[in-house]
Each structure stands twice: as C-alpha cells, then as structure tokens.
Amino acid sequence: SGWRRRRAAGGADASRAAAWTTAACQAFPGGIVQHTRATMAAVGGALDALCAPCAENPKSTITYAWMGVLVMSLISFIVGCVAASEDSGDNDALAFAAVWTVLMMLGVLVLGTYIFRKSQTQLSVGYLLGLVVMMANQCLILSVIFGSKSGSGEVAFSVFCSFMFIIYFFFSILLARFRDEIIKKEEVRSIGTNGGAAVPKAAQPPMAV
C-alpha cells in the first residue's frame, strides 16, 4: 500500500543519511578534532589577551566589577520603576517586563554577594556565571525594545539596560577566566595522616565584597 512504500522510502533515506554521516566522520576524524582544538585555543588566547591587565590581581578586579554591578543595578531599579509607571495602563506588558527585570537584577545581586562571601564552591560560581550571562541577554533585549519608545523614562531605561549588558558581559568574562581564583581550594590530605583520618587543608578566605 501507499503508506508502506512511504515508510520504506523514509527508512532508506534515514539509512543513507546515517551512512553518509558515518563515512564523513571516518574520513575526516583528525581534521574535525584538529579544527575543534584550534578553535578552542583561539578562544582561550583571546580571553587571555583581553584579561591580561587584570591577571596581576584578579580578585580585586572581580570585586570592583561586582561593585559596579551593584551600583548600576540600584540605579536601573529606580529608572525601571519610572519606565514602568510611564507604560502602566498603555502597555502593561512592557511595564511588567521592566519591573520583573530590575527585580531579577536585585536577586542576582543578593545571590552573587552571598556566593562571594559564604559559598565559593565550584557549583555556586558556575551557577552565578550562568545567571550573569542570562541577565546580559535579557538587558540587551530590553534595551532594544525600550529604545523604540518615546518616553523619557523608557529611553533612560533603554540606556541603562545597554550599560548593564556591557557590565554583565564584562563581568562574565572575568568570572569565567578567573573562576579558579574564586573557588575555595579545599584539598584533603591522604589517609594515614592524623591516625588515618582525612584532614582538610585551610581554605581560601572569602572575598571582600
């Protein structure tokens, strides 16, 4: 019947695609791996060159960058509330987007400060890095949306969202590059010391944020 022929034809197409993919991977395994390694090395070299001025004292650089995030987040909260008041009634969706975004900024600010002071683990730092990247994209989107409006508060919020995108993006690069300087080094001595018990070494002190 017709559906059996279509099913057989679909299966043949899938088999040909799988065979082509397998043949391509077998024919160019070294080239693919070499290209991937070269790309990763180029990205790593670019990050090293960009963060070279901050390499002497990365903790202080991250601290100052986070203070900049703190100040700009507080200013953006005020400007966002003004922009939401202008959109209230006319465009409630934009008003909600502005208020929700600035509340998220404050939430990330509180969480990041807690992580830098109390929980400098690999999981926590990675979680904060993901949040910062997400907020950078959110600010970029809102800067474009509010930039098309005519209200003074809306334009001001668009400008501050652009600033927050730059600050979040710069901070995410610093945190990704120097995350090993932030994460606490909690190494455990081998068994046999102190009567067979594992003794943790001294951890790094918390950051002064």
Side-chain angles (χ1 to χ4, degrees):
S1 58
W3 71 271
R4 289 183 178 178
R5 287 195 298 271
R6 289 192 297 270
R7 182 179 179 183
D13 292 339
S15 299
R16 285 195 294 270
W20 183 86
T21 303
T22 302
C25 292
Q26 291 177 352
F28 307 103
I32 295 175
V33 173
Q34 184 177 4
H35 179 70
T36 303
R37 290 178 178 175
T39 303
M40 295 179 63
V43 173
L47 287 178
D48 290 340
L50 182 63
C51 300
C54 309
E56 294 183 0
N57 199 346
K59 283 190 174 182
S60 297
T61 303
I62 292 177
T63 300
Y64 292 141
W66 189 247
M67 294 299 293
V69 173
L70 187 150
V71 173
M72 291 298 296
S73 297
L74 295 179
I75 298 175
S76 298
F77 175 79
I78 299 173
V79 178
C81 292
V82 174
S85 65
E86 291 183 357
D87 287 326
S88 180
D90 296 332
N91 197 332
D92 292 335
L94 282 182
F96 173 78
V99 173
W100 182 249
T101 300
V102 294
L103 289 178
M104 289 177 63
M105 289 181 185
L106 296 182
V108 172
L109 191 64
V110 173
L111 180 62
T113 303
Y114 173 79
I115 289 175
F116 285 137
R117 287 182 174 272
K118 300 294 185 180
S119 180
Q120 300 173 20
T121 63
Q122 185 175 5
L123 178 62
S124 300
V125 174
Y127 186 72
L128 177 61
L129 178 60
L131 285 178
V132 171
V133 173
M134 180 197 69
M135 289 303 301
N137 287 276
Q138 179 77 1
C139 291
L140 178 62
I141 293 173
L142 288 184
S143 67
V144 175
I145 293 176
F146 280 89
S148 62
K149 302 299 178 179
S150 58
S152 58
E154 295 168 332
V155 174
F157 185 63
S158 173
V159 173
F160 275 96
C161 281
S162 300
F163 288 153
M164 290 302 299
F165 164 73
I166 296 173
I167 292 175
Y168 277 136
F169 184 74
F170 176 71
F171 181 79
S172 65
I173 293 177
L174 288 178
L175 189 60
R177 177 62 181 84
F178 300 117
R179 62 185 181 276
D180 292 336
E181 302 292 335
I182 306 301
I183 300 173
K184 287 183 178 180
K185 303 296 189 298
E186 295 181 350
E187 301 175 354
V188 180
R189 296 176 183 175
S190 59
I191 299 177
T193 306
N194 195 17
V199 180
K201 293 183 180 179
Q204 293 181 355
M207 289 183 61
V209 176

